[in-house]
């Protein structure tokens, strides 16, 4: 049988391995020169002034909440269709999450669904909005910002490294900070580039960048110029813990992989786009039972996931049956995402919310294989198998 195609996978090449091996033999495995080098290259790649590396996308989101000084009596708004970490980062601070519904056909939070969520805030202060660029497709940031009453946007851009978007003006890069206060990225192996585990926060705000760095490393300051209680005579061993921080550092070793991977981003993104274009043209014949999610106007996504919407009712099959049929033909698939408010933890906290857009999206979504290492002919193989399983031949 042909090789199994997972829904996503990393692309690691010989020079990536060599870069890590070199870093392993260097003096500093954790805090070394590659951390800043990766941050600078990343900031440049997305067009942001500052980039702060950290240990995961989840850590990136939590650091962003810490940088904003999110408090327990405050609230954030996040879409119901996302990975749990988007909402959890607010809960780490004791703040509440108001889940916004999504467009049933794109899975994205929109200005109207955001506005409806604002109506459910109650008397809590809205301290941040967490738009998610699902699968790499960009959210209408100006539209949401215009309604947010000054609350900062923290973009969950974990899917969207390499996406360009345009809101009627010049094309802009996800993470360049033109609309959001901060953007958070993940380098988990299924994301567009990987450091195994890893994350990054970008911002144009110097003060936020400083706070991100403070909370990344125990809240400890080593620069005597920034001490609250500077000693009368120099005490070179001194450091000050000025806030309750964490160990969210990304090791030098993994930054070596990040630098090497980042240099490949244009090639990876081009490859993802080419595979997606092949999928789109092949999937036309499975319409209307199967529909590919189209990117929003003005968005040129570096697709992280290739999500299709399947009318399982019309097909007369359950999603589990379709996934099993694909798997038996060597094709992996996955569901992105179970609505977060349906998870027992959040259901216990907020009850059964009625978010029909999220339910309608969840009922139909299925992620098909998409990663740079796929062969040119793999989308054909996947769509052929899907047609067979659905009886659409
Ligand atoms: C992957 C992901 C995260 C978390 O990233 P980790 O690096 O796995 O911690 C957060 N949000 C979204 C949308 C993601 O896809």
């Amino acid at each position: 049988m042909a090789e199994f195609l997972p829904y996503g996978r990393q692309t690691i090449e010989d020079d990536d391995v060599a870069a890590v091996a070199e870093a392993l033999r260097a003096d500093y495995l954790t805090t070394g020169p590659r951390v800043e080098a990766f941050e600078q290259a990343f900031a440049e790649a997305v067009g942001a002034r500052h980039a702060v590396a950290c240990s995961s996308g989840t850590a990136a989101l939590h650091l962003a909440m810490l940088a904003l000084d999110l408090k327990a009596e405050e609230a954030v708004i996040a879409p119901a269709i996302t990975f749990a970490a988007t909402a959890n980062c607010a809960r780490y601070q004791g703040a509440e999450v108001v889940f916004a519904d999504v467009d049933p056909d794109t899975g994205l939070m929109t200005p109207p669904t955001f506005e409806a969520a604002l109506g459910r805030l109650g008397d809590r202060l809205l301290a941040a909005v967490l738009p998610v660029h699902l699968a790499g497709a960009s959210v209408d940031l100006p539209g949401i910002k215009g309604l947010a009453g000054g609350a900062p946007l923290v973009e969950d851009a974990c899917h969207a490294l390499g996406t360009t978007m345009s809101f009627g003006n010049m094309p802009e890069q996800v993470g360049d900070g033109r609309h959001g206060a901060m953007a958070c990225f993940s380098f988990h192996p299924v994301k567009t580039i990987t450091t195994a585990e890893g994350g990054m926060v970008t911002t144009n705000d110097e003060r936020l960048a400083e706070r991100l760095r403070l909370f990344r490393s125990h809240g400890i300051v080593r620069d005597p110029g920034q001490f609250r209680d500077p000693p009368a005579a120099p005490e070179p061993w001194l450091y000050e813990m000025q806030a309750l921080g964490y160990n969210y550092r990304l090791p030098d070793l993994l930054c070596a992989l990040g630098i090497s991977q980042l240099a490949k981003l244009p090639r990876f993104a081009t490859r993802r786009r080419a595979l997606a274009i092949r999928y789109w043209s092949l999937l036309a014949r499975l319409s209307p039972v199967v529909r590919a999610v189209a990117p929003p106007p003005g968005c040129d996504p570096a697709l992280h996931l290739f999500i299709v919407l399947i009318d399982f009712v019309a097909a007369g099959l359950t999603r589990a049956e379709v996934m099993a049929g694909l798997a038996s033909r060597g094709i992996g698939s996955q569901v992105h995402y179970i609505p977060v408010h349906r998870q027992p933890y959040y259901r216990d906290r907020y009850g059964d919310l009625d978010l029909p857009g999220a339910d309608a999206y969840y009922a139909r979504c299925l992620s098909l294989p998409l990663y740079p290492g796929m062969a040119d002919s793999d989308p054909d193989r996947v769509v052929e198998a899907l047609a067979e399983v659905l009886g659409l031949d």
Side-chain angles (χ1 to χ4, degrees):
M1 200 172 85
E3 190 191 344
F4 185 82
L5 303 176
Y7 83 88
R9 87 166 258 129
Q10 70 275 18
T11 304
I12 298 291
E13 297 165 328
D14 288 347
D15 55 343
D16 296 311
V17 176
V20 174
E22 189 190 327
L24 251 180
R25 294 193 180 94
D27 290 337
Y28 303 103
L29 296 185
T30 52
T31 303
R34 290 167 186 84
V35 179
E36 228 176 272
F38 183 34
E39 291 177 337
Q40 277 177 12
F42 196 93
E44 199 170 305
V46 305
R49 219 166 287 152
H50 308 280
V52 178
C54 58
S55 52
S56 68
T58 304
L61 288 160
H62 188 199
L63 284 173
M65 297 302 106
L66 287 159
L68 291 175
D69 196 20
L70 180 67
K71 296 186 187 71
E73 59 276 17
E74 298 173 335
V76 307
I77 291 179
I81 295 291
T82 183
F83 183 55
T86 318
N88 296 351
C89 68
R91 293 293 308 131
Y92 296 151
Q93 296 301 102
E96 302 301 338
V97 182
V98 176
F99 288 103
D101 204 3
V102 299
D103 179 313
D105 294 325
T106 65
L108 298 174
M109 181 164 69
T110 62
T113 66
F114 173 69
E115 199 166 25
L118 279 175
R120 286 184 274 114
L121 257 183
D123 49 15
R124 285 186 181 261
L125 177 76
L126 179 66
V129 185
L130 288 144
V132 178
H133 301 298
L134 188 70
S138 55
V139 177
D140 179 354
L141 298 176
I144 285 170
K145 195 174 181 177
L147 297 166
L153 307 191
V154 175
E155 297 165 63
D156 183 335
C158 288
H159 293 184
L161 179 58
T163 286
T164 60
M165 51 192 176
S166 160
F167 303 105
N169 304 312
M170 302 262 293
E172 41 189 289
Q173 293 261 67
V174 166
D176 68 6
R178 214 171 300 183
H179 309 282
M182 289 173 274
C184 300
F185 296 86
S186 163
F187 309 127
H188 179 276
V190 299
K191 308 294 160 79
T192 307
I193 67 167
T194 190
T195 61
E197 296 279 5
M200 191 77 80
V201 186
T202 61
T203 182
N204 290 332
D205 183 323
E206 171 94 47
R207 196 189 67 90
L208 288 175
E210 240 172 61
R211 285 178 62 81
L212 291 165
R213 294 202 164 90
L214 180 71
F215 286 103
R216 170 177 65 181
S217 198
H218 308 285
I220 284 176
V221 169
R222 291 181 184 281
D223 173 8
Q226 293 182 2
F227 283 178
R228 286 216 204 125
D229 305 313
E235 296 179 2
W237 63 89
L238 270 197
Y239 56 81
E240 275 189 352
M241 183 191 137
Q242 298 184 341
L244 183 61
Y246 296 78
N247 180 351
Y248 278 164
R249 295 186 301 262
L250 185 62
D252 199 66
L253 187 62
L254 297 183
C255 289
L257 182 54
I259 294 165
S260 175
Q261 287 266 301
L262 185 63
K264 302 169 187 207
L265 174 61
R267 171 159 58 91
F268 288 172
T270 299
R271 183 71 188 144
R272 284 177 177 276
R273 286 188 172 99
L275 290 164
I277 286 168
R278 183 70 190 149
Y279 265 129
W280 280 320
S281 81
L282 291 166
L283 283 166
R285 80 177 168 100
L286 305 192
S287 168
V289 176
V290 181
R291 292 172 43 190
V293 177
C299 174
D300 185 13
L303 286 183
H304 157 57
L305 296 168
F306 194 85
I307 300 177
V308 293
L309 300 176
I310 300 178
D311 186 340
F312 293 104
V313 178
L317 291 164
T318 65
R319 177 158 47 199
E321 287 165 341
V322 171
M323 290 175 79
L326 289 172
S328 74
R329 289 163 176 80
I331 288 154
S333 59
Q334 192 47 275
V335 175
H336 297 95
Y337 289 98
I338 302 164
V340 182
H341 67 287
R342 299 280 180 207
Q343 294 293 352
Y345 171 82
Y346 283 109
R347 216 181 43 220
D348 286 351
R349 194 160 188 89
Y350 302 128
D352 267 321
L353 302 176
D354 182 28
L355 301 175
D359 289 340
Y361 183 84
Y362 172 57
R364 295 173 298 155
C365 65
L366 193 68
S367 301
L368 302 177
L370 183 70
Y371 51 93
M374 284 171 70
D376 287 345
S377 59
D378 282 338
D380 300 66
R381 191 182 137 200
V382 173
V383 174
E384 190 49 48
L386 186 61
E388 248 177 62
V389 171
L390 293 172
L392 295 173
D393 272 327

